[in-house]
Amino acid sequence: MNDSPPLIIVGNGIAGTTLARQARKKSTRPILLISEEHPYFFSRTALMYVYMGHLTFEHTQPYESHFWKKNNITLLQERVTGFDPQKKEVFLAKGETLAYGDLVWAVGSRPNRFGWPGEQARRVQGLYHKQDLDQLEAWSPEIKEAVIVGGGLIGIELAEMLHSRGKKVCFLVRENSFWKSVLPTEDAALLNQHILQHGIDLRLNTELERIETDEKGNAMGVVTSKGERIQCQYVGLTAGVHPNIDFLKDSTLNCNRGILVNRFLETNLPNVYAIGDCAEQKEPVAGRRSIEAVWYTGRMMGETLAQTLCETKTAYQPGPWFNSAKFFDIEYQTYGQVSSTPKPDEENQWFWQHPQKNILLRWAFHPDTHRLMGINSFGIRIRHEVMHDWLLSDTTVETALENFPAATFDPEFTQNYQPEIQAAFQHQFSH
Amino acid sequence: MNRFTSLSVKSLFTVLGWIGLILLLLPLSNLSSPETWILLASLATLSIGVVGYAYFQYRGELPGIKNNGVFTNSLSARGVWGWSVGVLLTAFYITLYFYPEWLGYRSEGASVGMVALFDPLSQLLNGQPASQWFLYGTLYTLAILVFGVKFLIKYRHSRYQIIRTGSVMFFQLGFAFLLPELLTLLHPDTPYFAKDFKNMWPLNYYFFEDWHVKNMLNGGSLGLFTLGMGLAMIFIISPILTYRYGKRWYCSWVCGCGALAETAGDSFRQLSSKKISVWKLERWMIHVVLVFITLTTLAVLWSFLGSPKNPTGISREIFSYSAIVFFSLLLAAIWFGKRNELHADARFALVGIGVIIIGILCIQLFSGDRHLLGISSYTLRKWYGFGIGAAFSGVLGVGFYPLLGSRVWCRFGCPMAAILGFQQRILSRFRITTNGGQCISCGNCSAYCEMGIDVRSYAQKGQNIVRSSCVGCGICSEVCPRGVLKLENGPVANRTDRPDYPLGNLMDHLDAQ
Ligand SMILES: Cc1cc2nc3c(=O)[nH]c(=O)nc-3n(C[C@H](O)[C@H](O)[C@H](O)COP(=O)(O)OP(=O)(O)OC[C@H]3O[C@@H](n4cnc5c(N)ncnc54)[C@H](O)[C@@H]3O)c2cc1C
Ligand code: SF4
Ligand code: SF4
């Protein structure tokens, strides 16, 4: 054990927790993990399953409470209000200060609000923190009808949650399709249809105008951009998230939308770093966005920074992009780059869709070389390892199709559609 | 159909189910010989009740995972309903094992009451009046069938689950229930155990017992077939199948205990404890069971071989020497072949078990006592029969479904699971592959693993799951919302690798400046 000032990590989400665990594997330095939300790391992505009764909140915690003690990682449930980079101290809400050796911001995101009239009313919320979930649970008996605003991943999760508990859900999406900013037309259409099939009142091309309240300040309904009034007892605001850094705006930390970091996840201040949702890359990795608010990148930043803080300075270098989600009953996985509106001279796309089932496979490849660029898969599980290798090794789409069974990850006995898919591809591209 | 009419239709089927149960219990009050129609009506309403309920529960919903409310429902989350069902089931098992006369069983003369209710069916199948075990076997099989249908509806989107459930229903109905009964009908004079050829040591721990071996030896060609089949199962077929497919080929595709757990127990799978401390307990228990069953069997064989009527011509000495050589070779092979894949405590267990078994055999050989360890094999067997056979597999194993989950017996007490699991851990192509870096640590897999395996703890590190207790039910893979888990058979090498990080991070490929 050594007595040097600790590594202080603010935020015990996937980014902060991964860093703490990996740093502990490599070093004996004191580690302090601070979070205001909950004393223990839990999976934010699983909050929906708690509301739906698939899990209890305890299930969302990957480590039993003795884990932290055993690994000598000190936990503290407190809000951090700021820091002094000269004295190397952080300030706690209770007024205490703590000295740090290295300081890492892993403070995550916050739901967006766009100044809608009525957005501060009771029974209006975004879904991000555990406290939001507790709030929703408390309001639940009052909710018969709900309106959800914003057609992204958290929006559809919230729709599924409320629907599972028998609430009538109206889902407002500004674009002409669900998750239009990410998904090409047919992919999004498949989901639109599935959402409707589940009995969700999906309203496309519709924006929120204002939220109406009763005399006690409870949400009573919304008015849409089309002038319709929809009665509801709950409004879920799920139009994206932004880095949770308002409390750092007055510090000397360089921030844009997020905390600006270089490829080593260093901020402009010595011994101060940022990882996860709240970090913004000054020079994004080629082909990637500067802020990637997903689970996996948070984890990888944690892994990378642990290297830098404990043995070797290491640059953040994520491999080919991957992500996954589940939309009611449809599983979705994506690897590499598949644009929602590809530029014809840069990216060619081709998709195959099952005539009845919710299965769709979209391949993105270079128009000239046919080098595989990415894949969207709905209803077929894809083997990460194989896709990862293909994307790193200039595989052509033809080779990929030829070897497609090796790249699937569905349970045994699941039907294999490769012959149909390959035949359809050849039919279209063989001349 | 909307939510509310479906609710009232479901209540209707619940009522039907209750009527079936009441009809079944009716003969208890009136102990004279009951009428056939009551049996028929009871079994029919019970089945229609369960299947109809399931059908209307799931028919309005699109195919997919159906776990809404599992942890808020009183039955599946240890609420009042859960406890009530637990108490009822336990009471039933205690009655069955220790007070069968309450069910109407008479050791002399014709049975009455509930047992007699099953006479017509028993006559039909095997030409003899029902015993309490026939009653139990019938209800057991019926439960697997009707809850099997429920499971099939619930998992209608998954071919693995459909085929697997079809398999357990088939083996229970055909091999475990009908076949021995029909053989009794055809060969009324051969002893029962000469034709029970789903029989396999050590699940049927009495396989090598004196009476059982004699039963088979005296059972003519059928008996010899059963004996041969049993030996082939233990020493040839089972190791090969377990090598190729993991222990799932038995535990969640064939076994009757597994069949009940997978069907009737499905609503309770999430109640198994995932705590590390419980895993520790599991390892202790299962190893103790393993040693105990091996010793019991050795003791039985020892006294069998010593008896003047020993028909095999193998002497005790030859037997002991070969057993010592066998266990030593086995131990050495595992130690030198697989040591590096095992954790410290697994090595400890391995050597411990080996030393105990070989040690006792040696002591035995040199002391030449009539009984192994000086305890009569009869006493050992009696204890085993009570402790493991009855109290554990029935009362705790099934009675406590709604409290401790559906696989308590399989996890802590089953000697068969212990042996197959040992092989699965050491030498099998089976593993659950983790899909690179896709895990979001949500915890669904761990929560729904009936064997209490903390699947997530492997998946989130990008490690495959190779655990001796995994019965390969495939539910973790079903409930995973990110498609992270796949049960598969592949090369033995590298299946237990532990990557430093889950796939996706290339940092190692960069030259750090
Ligand atoms: C409902 C939902 C579903 C999601 N599903 C997916 C998914 O399926 N796949 C996916 O890839 N991503 C998903 N995400 C996004 C993913 O959860 C985030 O990208 C990830 O959790 C971010 O991790 P993080 O460690 O950067 O921050 P966070 O998990 O946000 O952790 C930050 C922690 O810091 C605490 N904190 C903040 N400020 C302070 C302060 N001043 N003092 C003390 N503590 C502070 C916060 O309370 C929080 O506990 C989902 C997000 C939500 C909300
Ligand atoms: S690990 Fe998965 S397949 Fe194995 S027993 Fe548990 S849930 Fe079933
Ligand atoms: S269910 Fe899937 S995503 Fe969730 S913890 Fe298990 S493996 Fe990971």
Side-chain angles (χ1 to χ4, degrees), chain A residues 362-431:
Chain A
R362 175 179 298 273
W363 303 83
F365 50 95
H366 194 274
D368 306 326
T369 61
H370 280 204
R371 181 179 56 82
L372 182 65
M373 295 170 71
I375 183 171
N376 274 357
S377 176
F378 297 82
I380 297 180
R381 293 178 173 177
I382 303 290
R383 203 180 280 265
H384 189 179
E385 202 181 356
V386 173
M387 225 18 107
H388 180 89
D389 290 346
W390 284 355
L391 289 169
L392 287 177
S393 65
D394 286 346
T395 307
T396 63
V397 64
E398 284 82 2
T399 312
L401 274 164
E402 181 84 25
N403 299 296
F404 186 55
T408 59
F409 201 71
D410 280 329
E412 293 154 302
F413 306 122
T414 305
Q415 194 172 343
N416 163 28
Y417 293 104
Q418 183 215 21
E420 288 100 306
I421 300 175
Q422 206 177 359
F425 184 86
Q426 279 163 358
H427 181 74
Q428 191 163 344
F429 288 89
S430 57
H431 22 257

Side-chain angles (χ1 to χ4, degrees), chain B residues 135-320:
Chain B
L135 172 154
Y136 177 54
T138 310
L139 291 180
Y140 192 98
T141 306
L142 188 73
I144 289 172
L145 294 180
V146 295
F147 286 103
V149 172
K150 170 179 181 261
F151 192 91
L152 287 171
I153 304 176
K154 180 174 169 188
Y155 281 99
R156 61 188 186 274
H157 56 279
S158 163
R159 279 180 78 189
Y160 182 78
Q161 297 305 336
I162 292 172
I163 298 173
R164 186 177 67 75
T165 306
S167 168
V168 288
M169 289 164 75
F170 168 77
F171 277 102
Q172 176 61 31
L173 180 66
F175 277 70
F177 183 63
L178 289 181
L179 202 60
E181 304 295 346
L182 292 178
L183 286 173
T184 307
L185 187 68
L186 299 176
H187 305 265
D189 303 325
T190 350
Y192 175 83
F193 287 99
K195 42 205 180 202
D196 180 20
F197 43 70
K198 64 167 191 324
N199 212 338
M200 177 152 81
W201 182 89
L203 184 61
N204 298 99
Y205 53 87
Y206 45 72
F207 189 90
F208 289 112
E209 284 181 21
D210 206 359
W211 60 269
H212 189 250
V213 176
K214 282 197 188 126
N215 234 313
M216 293 188 289
L217 287 176
N218 298 336
S221 50
L222 202 59
L224 285 180
F225 178 71
T226 313
L227 179 63
M229 187 73 185
L231 292 175
M233 278 309 268
I234 304 158
F235 292 109
I236 304 169
I237 302 177
S238 164
I240 292 179
L241 287 174
T242 309
Y243 171 73
R244 296 194 56 122
Y245 308 112
K247 82 189 209 188
R248 57 184 172 153
W249 75 266
Y250 190 73
C251 295
S252 67
W253 284 73
V254 172
C255 174
C257 301
L260 193 72
E262 294 294 337
T263 52
D266 176 56
S267 304
F268 310 111
R269 62 171 66 244
Q270 68 283 353
L271 300 175
S272 60
S273 172
K274 307 337 185 264
K275 289 212 180 96
I276 292 177
S277 52
V278 176
W279 181 21
K280 269 213 178 103
L281 175 72
E282 171 194 317
R283 278 178 295 181
W284 270 105
M285 298 227 14
I286 211 75
H287 289 132
V288 169
V289 167
L290 203 58
V291 170
F292 196 76
I293 185 72
T294 312
L295 288 182
T296 313
T297 307
L298 290 175
V300 166
L301 285 171
W302 179 267
S303 44
F304 181 73
L305 296 174
S307 81
K309 289 168 295 181
N310 172 7
T312 60
I314 302 170
S315 76
R316 282 179 165 177
E317 284 67 32
I318 295 183
F319 168 70
S320 307

Side-chain angles (χ1 to χ4, degrees), chain B residues 473-488:
Chain B
C473 66
I475 296 298
C476 52
S477 161
E478 295 293 339
V479 299
C480 172
R482 295 295 178 271
V484 176
L485 305 164
K486 178 171 161 72
L487 284 67
E488 58 184 349

Side-chain angles (χ1 to χ4, degrees), chain A residues 43 45 49 52-54 59 61 64 296 299 303 307 313 317 319 324 333 335 381-384 410 412, chain B residues 67-71 248 276 435 437-438 440-441 448 456 477 481-482 486-488 501 504-506 512:
Chain A
S43 175
T45 56
Y49 299 111
M52 291 166 71
H54 293 206
H59 287 123
Q61 295 167 28
E64 287 181 56
Y296 312 106
R299 191 194 72 220
E303 291 161 358
Q307 298 270 345
K313 193 165 173 178
Q317 177 61 58
S324 60
Q333 295 188 344
Y335 299 87
R381 293 178 173 177
I382 303 290
R383 203 180 280 265
H384 189 179
D410 280 329
E412 293 154 302
Chain B
N67 285 338
N68 289 343
V70 165
F71 279 99
R248 57 184 172 153
I276 292 177
N435 199 9
Q438 285 280 20
I440 52 168
S441 297
Y448 287 89
R456 165 176 59 194
S477 161
R482 295 295 178 271
K486 178 171 161 72
L487 284 67
E488 58 184 349
Y501 308 100
N505 200 345
L506 293 185

Side-chain angles (χ1 to χ4, degrees), chain B residues 29 186 202 331 335 366 419 435 464:
Chain B
S29 59
L186 299 176
L331 185 64
W335 183 258
F366 295 116
I419 290 186
N435 199 9
N464 295 342

Side-chain angles (χ1 to χ4, degrees), chain A residues 10-16 34-37 44-45 78-80 106-109 127-129 154 157 244 247 275-278 293-296 323-324, chain B residues 440 482:
Chain A
V10 187
N12 67 355
I14 180 65
I34 310 180
S35 176
E36 61 172 329
E37 186 176 10
R44 191 172 302 296
T45 56
E78 269 281 4
R79 185 156 61 88
V80 173
V107 287
S109 303
L127 178 71
Y128 190 89
H129 292 103
I154 300 180
E157 285 189 2
N244 170 31
F247 69 104
I275 55 176
D277 277 19
C278 66
V294 291
W295 185 263
Y296 312 106
N323 200 4
S324 60
Chain B
I440 52 168
R482 295 295 178 271

Side-chain angles (χ1 to χ4, degrees), chain A residues 49-228:
Chain A
Y49 299 111
V50 177
Y51 186 76
M52 291 166 71
H54 293 206
L55 301 174
T56 63
F57 182 70
E58 283 64 42
H59 287 123
T60 69
Q61 295 167 28
Y63 305 98
E64 287 181 56
S65 49
H66 52 73
F67 174 88
W68 309 101
K69 205 169 188 157
K70 191 174 146 216
N71 285 285
N72 197 15
I73 295 171
T74 313
L75 304 179
L76 179 65
Q77 187 176 12
E78 269 281 4
R79 185 156 61 88
V80 173
T81 52
F83 72 119
D84 183 337
Q86 250 82 50
K87 291 199 194 141
K88 294 178 84 175
E89 286 174 348
V90 296
F91 311 139
L92 300 181
K94 283 206 188 124
E96 269 175 90
T97 59
L98 298 171
Y100 65 80
D102 290 298
L103 174 63
V104 180
W105 298 108
V107 287
S109 303
R110 217 163 244 294
N112 288 337
R113 297 200 169 207
F114 293 107
W116 287 295
E119 69 176 17
Q120 300 302 335
R122 193 170 162 273
R123 296 195 308 235
V124 176
Q125 67 166 181
L127 178 71
Y128 190 89
H129 292 103
K130 159 128 200 324
Q131 284 72 16
D132 301 328
L133 185 79
D134 296 341
Q135 184 63 258
L136 174 60
E137 190 60 61
W139 287 337
S140 252
E142 304 168 33
I143 307 173
K144 273 209 190 65
E145 297 142 314
V147 169
I148 292 164
V149 183
L153 292 176
I154 300 180
I156 194 165
E157 285 189 2
L158 190 53
E160 184 175 355
M161 289 159 67
L162 293 158
H163 180 70
S164 79
R165 302 263 294 251
K167 323 282 182 203
K168 224 178 131 234
V169 179
C170 179
F171 192 10
L172 306 188
V173 174
R174 184 178 60 185
E175 294 78 19
N176 63 8
S177 212
F178 170 74
W179 216 23
K180 191 70 225 287
S181 55
V182 175
L183 296 180
T185 311
E186 294 84 2
D187 305 25
L190 175 77
L191 298 182
N192 290 342
Q193 194 201 350
H194 189 63
I195 294 170
L196 289 169
Q197 252 185 353
H198 269 280
I200 306 293
D201 179 4
L202 174 66
R203 309 226 183 158
L204 302 173
N205 299 312
T206 308
E207 284 181 69
L208 175 68
E209 199 65 36
R210 63 173 187 277
I211 298 167
E212 299 191 325
T213 52
D214 64 11
E215 61 288 351
K216 292 197 206 102
N218 295 316
M220 293 262 301
V222 302
V223 175
T224 70
S225 53
K226 294 178 172 168
E228 295 159 303

